[in-house]
Amino acid sequence: MSQPSRQLQTQTQKLRQQLQEAAHAYYVLDAPIMEDQVYDRLYRELQAIEQEYPQLISPDSPTQRVGDKPSAQFQSVRHNIPLYSLDNAFTIAEFAKWQDRWQNLLDEAVQPEYICELKIDGSALALTYEGGVLVRGVTRGDGETGEDITPNVKTIRSIPLRLRGEVIPPQVEVRGEAFLPLETFERLNAERQQNQEPPLANPRNAAAGTLRQLDPQIVAQRQLQFFAYTLYLPSDDGPSQKGDRPFGTHQEALQRLQELGFQVNPHRQVAHSIEEIQAYYERWEQQRRELPYLTDGVVVKLNDISLQNRLGFTQKAPRWAIALKYPAEEVPTTVVSVDFQVGRTGAVTPVANLTPVQLAGTTVARASLHNGDRLGELDLHFGDTVVVRKAGDIIPEVVRVLPKLRPEGAQAVQMPNHCPECHEPLVKPQNEAVTRCINRSCPAILRGALKHWGSRGALDIDGLGEKLIGQLCDRRFLTSVADLYRLRPEDLSHLERLGSKSATKLVESIQRSKQQPWSRVLYGLGIRHVGAVNAQTLVERFPTVDALAEARLDEIAEIKGIGPEIAGAICEWFEVQANRDLIQQLQEVGVTLAADDPSQEGTVAPQPLAGQTLVLTGTLPNLTRNEAKTLIEQAGGKVTGSVSSKTNYVVVGENPGSKQAKAEKLGIPQLSEAQLRKLVGLSPQA
């Protein structure tokens, strides 16, 4: 390989600088400094040099914005600093309560100064720069971990590949929102219509889906933009410092972001009172329709950085910032029918089946009615027209009924008196909103208990899927969790889709689960309010099941992190004779119910799919749909029925249909059954 001359190296560096300056002026400042033809000529000149002398290619070169090869999949990475979400307020009154809360945390009265920014409706990104060069771009994910999508981030022209200025911190962390401009969104949908492709639902989903495309070339074509809103240094717990002098205000930090070459939303405003915030909020509720991008609210932050640092964070959100959201989108639809679902704790939940309707970019056909009290408040009748919205923009809920549109003679929807599964009488405790089935032999409760017992966080029984549990319960092989340990391969081998080899493996997995530590067994018992973390805490104090069963309520309640509600649920559970019988049966079959060394109690199994959403399509070679669903849920994942921008993986079998095509268009990684098994830590061979 020939070596470039010093003169050529200097020329290459100059070309890079010229192109970077031109791109910043065009994409960030909206003030072009050279004609397109000139930019194209300089770009081709740089491209030709780099092709002849690949050693001159640098990560910040404009030619590196679009990679050559699509990614096979994205890697999950831990954020350097957690990417917190914001608490929400939906009225000025709620905002005032939030202000009272943070002021009560301080020792002295403070006259606050706020900064108001538009809440861009896009997808959050965390960008890391080292030596002034972009080295990593990561999605929000669950706030602790996200996906590394650096090649895709580099295609966004308003994100600098190299920071501007003479004094650049050695490491910089920048947070902001990637979004799809409305004009681009409309153009993309017009093109998709011409190609007879389904339209993109909305700009927010389109932005998220674009960022997760495996091919950066496709991402580049979508022309995403980016607004930066937070600046961090690694030595900081709060917004960043300039040199050795901390920024005094968030406003100064935003200015510094602009100096470093980022696009910052210009419609920000400092406010000194709730009245000024309300005026800003109401003004932009009207004017936001004139913006070239979507905004769904206003973010209000304390402007004083030192005050931000004093207030700190909760487990999920900063105490010094809040999102003042605009009212959620609401749409009318009709109630077709109502199902009553029985969970593993016996709780009966009414769910409305609706005439499908588009809401916030997705098709909604079902909505939870929560409980009998809520059903009564709504005065819901079959055939009613109802108004539906998404609680927190995620969960569909019925907001209100429109009784004037009620069909003549419509019957009221009422909670059943008897369990829809076992037909035993239901009970509604006096101080609870939930109606329950208390028959411990109820098939729904038993199925739920078995599914929970075998889940990855509990006893981790590989192969114990929902469909198999249903078959075993229907044939009366299982009447309790303890019956699992009495199963023999010959009992299972004749069941649907379960040959002798698979039956033997399942029985071996069940027998191995006897060795799981006491903390996981306690979690697997499914006692109300006792999660995996609480189970470990309880085992440290009560190293045997007998010790816990005999403990007084006040003994349990005094444990840090437990409290009277959990303690009451534990005591109530052990008071039920059927539960005591279960413990005795588990002891007889050899399940671990004591800790040899409480300090060595095993931690909850890793959840490789925690926070991930998967979709199943087609026929898998070895797993039924329900078995695959259980496998995913045991690994911490969630299975949904439709592909969207929030889908992390699509598991593809034979004859997959339209879901695979949609996944390809959205750039969502696809898995075979073997790849799924490997991903959750199992052998690829069933």
Side-chain angles (χ1 to χ4, degrees), residues 192 195-198 200 209-210 212-214 218 222 643 658-668 670:
R192 293 173 73 87
N195 297 329
Q196 296 184 332
E197 296 175 336
L200 300 168
T210 297
R212 301 194 70 257
Q213 289 279 342
L214 295 179
I218 297 176
R222 296 283 178 91
V643 178
S658 61
K659 292 179 183 178
Q660 184 185 30
K662 186 170 183 181
E664 289 174 350
K665 290 173 183 175
L666 292 175
I668 295 168
Q670 299 177 28

Side-chain angles (χ1 to χ4, degrees), residues 57-273:
I57 298 175
S58 66
D60 63 322
S61 174
T63 64
Q64 300 305 296
R65 281 200 177 272
V66 182
D68 294 327
K69 297 180 180 179
S71 302
Q73 64 180 44
F74 300 121
Q75 297 296 319
S76 291
V77 295
R78 182 167 290 276
H79 288 296
N80 295 331
I81 304 165
L83 211 171
Y84 293 99
S85 56
L86 293 173
D87 287 333
N88 293 327
F90 293 91
T91 64
I92 292 297
E94 290 181 7
F95 176 86
K97 291 179 181 178
W98 168 80
Q99 178 176 267
D100 290 340
R101 286 198 300 272
W102 71 254
Q103 286 182 328
N104 290 335
L105 295 173
L106 302 176
D107 296 330
E108 75 282 357
V110 172
Q111 182 61 41
E113 179 179 81
Y114 293 108
I115 183 164
C116 303
E117 304 169 72
L118 297 182
K119 186 176 183 298
I120 307 303
D121 201 8
S123 189
L125 294 177
L127 311 176
T128 301
Y129 289 80
E130 293 178 358
V133 176
L134 176 65
V135 296
R136 194 172 78 167
V138 182
T139 62
R140 179 194 294 279
D142 62 4
E144 296 288 340
T145 0
E147 290 182 311
D148 188 335
I149 56 167
T150 306
N152 290 353
V153 167
K154 286 184 174 182
T155 69
I156 303 176
R157 301 280 179 170
S158 48
I159 293 179
L161 299 180
R162 174 178 286 277
L163 300 178
R164 296 168 56 82
E166 296 181 3
V167 180
I168 303 296
Q171 189 171 31
V172 172
E173 186 93 7
V174 174
R175 302 293 167 80
E177 200 84 2
F179 62 95
L180 197 66
L182 292 174
E183 183 180 351
T184 306
F185 175 74
E186 291 166 2
R187 174 179 59 79
L188 286 172
N189 268 348
E191 292 173 357
R192 293 173 73 87
Q193 186 175 7
Q194 289 178 357
N195 297 329
Q196 296 184 332
E197 296 175 336
L200 300 168
N202 57 52
R204 177 180 57 184
N205 290 356
T210 297
L211 287 170
R212 301 194 70 257
Q213 289 279 342
L214 295 179
D215 188 349
Q217 307 248 8
I218 297 176
V219 183
Q221 294 169 8
R222 296 283 178 91
Q223 298 178 354
L224 292 173
Q225 291 192 30
F226 180 81
F227 280 133
Y229 54 65
T230 306
L231 176 62
Y232 290 98
L233 288 181
S235 60
D236 248 348
D237 291 329
S240 182
Q241 300 176 352
K242 182 177 181 181
D244 294 327
R245 179 182 64 82
F247 289 123
T249 66
H250 181 68
Q251 176 80 306
E252 291 179 18
L254 293 177
Q255 180 60 39
R256 178 63 171 144
L257 280 168
Q258 287 181 294
E259 294 170 2
L260 291 171
F262 289 94
Q263 183 172 230
V264 176
N265 192 280
H267 305 298
R268 56 189 185 272
Q269 176 182 313
V270 173
H272 298 87
S273 67

Side-chain angles (χ1 to χ4, degrees), residues 481-591:
V481 166
D483 287 342
L484 280 170
Y485 298 92
R486 302 185 181 98
L487 290 173
R488 300 167 302 172
E490 52 266 34
D491 297 328
L492 306 172
S493 58
H494 62 281
L495 295 179
E496 183 182 346
R497 296 179 65 89
L498 196 71
S500 59
K501 185 178 178 181
S502 297
T504 300
K505 283 187 175 181
L506 174 59
V507 170
E508 289 173 351
S509 180
I510 291 171
Q511 293 303 315
R512 281 196 304 273
S513 74
K514 292 179 181 180
Q515 307 308 314
Q516 293 286 10
W518 161 223
S519 61
R520 295 179 70 168
V521 174
L522 176 56
Y523 171 59
L525 291 173
I527 301 172
R528 289 178 62 203
H529 308 308
V530 177
V533 175
N534 288 336
Q536 283 187 258
T537 302
L538 288 161
V539 164
E540 291 173 5
R541 178 70 175 271
F542 304 105
T544 68
V545 67
D546 291 337
L548 182 59
E550 295 167 6
R552 299 190 313 272
L553 188 147
D554 60 324
E555 286 182 284
I556 304 173
E558 70 183 11
I559 300 172
K560 185 177 180 181
I562 300 300
E565 185 176 18
I566 299 174
I570 294 168
C571 291
E572 288 173 9
W573 193 89
F574 280 104
E575 286 172 359
V576 176
Q577 185 60 45
N579 294 334
R580 287 185 173 271
D581 292 343
L582 173 61
I583 294 298
Q584 183 176 347
Q585 293 175 43
L586 291 174
Q587 287 173 326
E588 291 172 356
V589 297
V591 173

